């Protein structure tokens, strides 16, 4: 795309975000919904003002990197690990139960096991982007329910890698020895880093004080810390989003980096917004209208299933019923990382084109409707935020 066409594209997207953001905020609807709405409206399947979404999609990963980076800066790792049972054991239970339910359904519908596994993985992953965005808007990152939910989301994000490995192995794809060795080295290194940061609690890096008096260098210094850790994590074959989270943890533990949050917050807001806009543009309105009974049924079933599974898991591990149901509702949507799992199925032929489009619509619609579902359970449970 030529440079002269970029300005109208981004101007249209920015003004649309501004206008609909103001409208939605006036009626107390979270910003994330307005971002998705703008994407659906402007995209190739909406009014069609934006036909080429490649440029916007290039920002998707950047948006998620900033999201996890800010999560790492704002979450107390020590407090998070005190309640490790729900994030670790709970997520294992939650993924297993979800795959189990899909297995029973697949047995009835005569699905192949590989297809069952892929769909189970897709549905079991919740949206880190939506949930954390809502928790940020409500200032509830460090609430008890917030910590539990974020812990589950982070373990789900980490589980993305073994999910892809399992799907590849079941298709007969062998992982290169080099990649396997790198992952076996990188994983323990990340664990050791977490242990070190927990034990030290606070790290002193006096040279970082130099950036305080230099606004221009602050931006590049902050970006270097964030994306440097992302690149290091990718080198070991691990999720780049895990690297972004680790960078955020490092920043939180370093006394001399208080300025990073203020410096990068505008980048965070912009790229996360663009991420949601690009997700909205993926929704094929014509396909949804043609198959709305099936899609509506699936969206309803997924919301109920994920809420019940996550709420049951939290209650099983000792959480009160009110907090369990609210936490389950927050994890009820299908997440953005499910697009990664779905793309594996699409490229390898595990799912048909119809199934691919249906799941794509399912993911997008659950992301769009998730704030309303969470607000409903917030009222039903009487939890004040």
């Amino acid at each position: 795309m030529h440079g002269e066409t970029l300005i109208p594209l981004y101007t249209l997207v920015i003004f649309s975000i501004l206008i609909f953001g103001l409208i939605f905020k006036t009626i107390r609807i979270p910003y994330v919904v307005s971002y998705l709405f703008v994407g659906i409206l402007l995209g190739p399947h909406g009014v069609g003002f934006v036909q080429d979404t490649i440029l916007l999609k290039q920002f998707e990963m950047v948006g998620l990197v900033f999201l996890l980076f800010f999560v790492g800066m704002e979450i107390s790792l020590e407090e998070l690990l005190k309640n490790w049972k729900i994030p670790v054991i709970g997520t294992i239970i939650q993924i297993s139960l979800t795959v189990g339910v899909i297995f029973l359904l697949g047995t009835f519908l005569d699905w192949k096991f590989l297809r069952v596994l892929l769909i189970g993985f897709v549905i079991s992953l919740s949206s880190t982007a939506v949930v954390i965005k809502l928790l940020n808007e409500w200032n509830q990152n460090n609430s008890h329910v917030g910590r539990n939910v974020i812990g589950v989301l982070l373990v789900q994000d980490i589980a993305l890698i073994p999910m892809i490995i399992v799907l590849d192995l079941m298709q007969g794809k062998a992982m290169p020895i080099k990649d396997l060795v790198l992952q076996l080295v990188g994983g323990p290194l990340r664990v050791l880093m977490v242990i070190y940061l927990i034990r030290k609690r606070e790290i002193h890096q006096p040279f970082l004080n130099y950036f305080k008096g230099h606004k221009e260098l602050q931006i590049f210094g902050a970006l270097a810390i964030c994306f440097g850790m992302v690149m290091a994590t990718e080198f070991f074959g691990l999720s780049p989003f895990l690297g972004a989270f680790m960078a955020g943890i490092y920043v939180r533990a370093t006394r001399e980096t208080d300025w990073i949050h203020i410096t990068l917050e505008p980048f965070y807001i912009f790229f996360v917004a663009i991420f949601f806009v690009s997700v909205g543009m993926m929704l094929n309105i014509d396909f949804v209208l043609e198959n709305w009974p099936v899609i509506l049924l699936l969206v309803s079933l997924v919301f109920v299933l994920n809420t019940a599974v996550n709420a049951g898991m939290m209650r099983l591990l000792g959480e009160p019923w009110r907090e369990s149901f609210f936490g389950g509702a927050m994890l009820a949507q299908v997440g953005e990382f499910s697009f990664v799992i779905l793309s594996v199925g699409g490229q390898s032929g595990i799912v048909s084109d119809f199934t691919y489009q249906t799941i794509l619509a399912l993911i997008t619609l659950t992301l769009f409707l998730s704030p309303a579902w969470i607000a409903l359970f917030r009222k039903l449970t009487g939890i004040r935020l």
Side-chain angles (χ1 to χ4, degrees), residues 4-31:
E4 60 269 16
T5 63
L6 290 179
I7 294 178
L9 169 64
Y10 287 114
T11 301
L12 180 63
V13 171
I14 289 169
F15 269 93
S16 299
I17 289 174
L18 181 62
I19 293 168
F20 287 104
L22 287 171
I23 294 172
F24 280 48
K25 195 61 178 176
T26 301
I27 54 179
R28 297 186 177 182
I29 296 177
Y31 286 125

Side-chain angles (χ1 to χ4, degrees), residues 45-46 280-290 295 357 360-361 364:
H45 306 295
M281 289 183 179
M282 296 176 68
L283 183 63
N284 189 330
I285 300 297
D286 292 334
F287 181 84
V288 173
L289 292 177
E290 289 173 6
I295 293 173
Q357 290 295 331
L360 192 65
T364 308

Side-chain angles (χ1 to χ4, degrees), residues 297-346:
L297 176 62
L298 290 175
V299 168
S300 303
L301 289 175
V302 165
F303 271 130
V304 172
L305 171 64
N306 281 349
T307 300
V309 167
N310 284 289
M313 170 269 290
M314 291 184 182
R315 178 58 185 157
L316 181 67
L317 295 175
E319 292 298 304
W321 272 116
R322 285 201 317 158
E323 284 80 358
S324 296
F325 270 114
F326 185 59
M330 295 199 76
L331 295 166
Q333 72 292 123
V334 184
E336 56 280 343
F337 290 154
S338 295
F339 288 120
V340 179
I341 299 290
L342 180 60
S343 67
V344 172

Side-chain angles (χ1 to χ4, degrees), residues 9-218:
L9 169 64
Y10 287 114
T11 301
L12 180 63
V13 171
I14 289 169
F15 269 93
S16 299
I17 289 174
L18 181 62
I19 293 168
F20 287 104
L22 287 171
I23 294 172
F24 280 48
K25 195 61 178 176
T26 301
I27 54 179
R28 297 186 177 182
I29 296 177
Y31 286 125
V32 62
V33 177
S34 68
Y35 302 151
L36 287 165
F37 181 80
V38 167
I40 294 171
L41 179 67
L42 299 182
H45 306 295
V47 296
F49 285 146
V50 181
Q51 291 292 333
D52 187 356
T53 61
I54 294 176
L55 286 171
L56 291 176
K57 286 182 177 298
Q58 290 175 350
F59 289 134
E60 283 188 19
M61 180 174 174
V62 180
L64 289 175
V65 164
F66 275 116
L67 187 72
L68 270 298
F69 182 55
F70 270 72
V71 170
M73 283 195 288
E74 295 171 3
I75 294 299
S76 170
L77 190 61
E78 186 178 8
E79 289 295 322
L80 195 63
L81 291 179
K82 281 181 182 178
N83 303 310
W84 62 272
K85 288 184 180 179
I86 288 179
V88 179
I89 298 177
T91 303
I92 294 172
I93 293 173
Q94 173 255 327
I95 293 175
S96 300
L97 284 176
T98 304
V99 173
V101 171
I102 301 302
F103 176 77
L104 293 176
L105 177 63
T107 302
F108 177 74
L109 297 174
D110 197 28
W111 287 351
K112 292 182 179 180
F113 181 70
L114 191 56
R115 187 184 189 191
V116 167
L117 199 60
L118 183 136
I119 294 175
F121 285 164
V122 165
I123 293 175
S124 67
L125 296 176
S126 305
S127 174
T128 304
V130 167
V131 174
I132 291 177
K133 187 68 176 169
L134 291 176
L135 289 173
N136 282 341
E137 290 182 18
W138 295 335
N139 294 317
Q140 291 296 311
N141 277 340
N142 280 308
S143 66
H144 181 67
V145 175
R147 286 196 300 269
N148 283 338
V149 168
I150 289 174
V152 171
L153 289 168
L154 292 174
V155 176
Q156 285 182 358
D157 294 346
I158 295 170
L160 175 67
I161 301 301
M163 285 179 178
I164 294 174
I165 293 172
V166 168
L167 291 173
D168 285 345
L169 290 175
M170 291 194 67
Q171 293 178 78
K173 297 179 182 178
M175 177 180 289
I177 298 296
K178 177 185 174 183
D179 293 345
L180 181 61
V181 171
L182 285 173
Q183 288 187 4
L184 290 174
V185 172
L189 282 177
R190 289 291 171 260
V191 173
L192 290 174
M193 180 179 174
V194 170
I195 294 173
Y196 174 76
L197 291 174
I198 293 173
R199 296 191 64 178
K200 290 288 290 184
R201 296 190 179 182
E202 193 173 88
I203 301 171
H204 295 284
Q205 303 285 349
F207 72 92
L208 291 173
N209 282 323
Y210 177 78
F211 291 98
K212 284 189 175 181
H214 303 273
K215 295 292 184 182
E216 292 83 357
L217 292 180
Q218 280 185 3

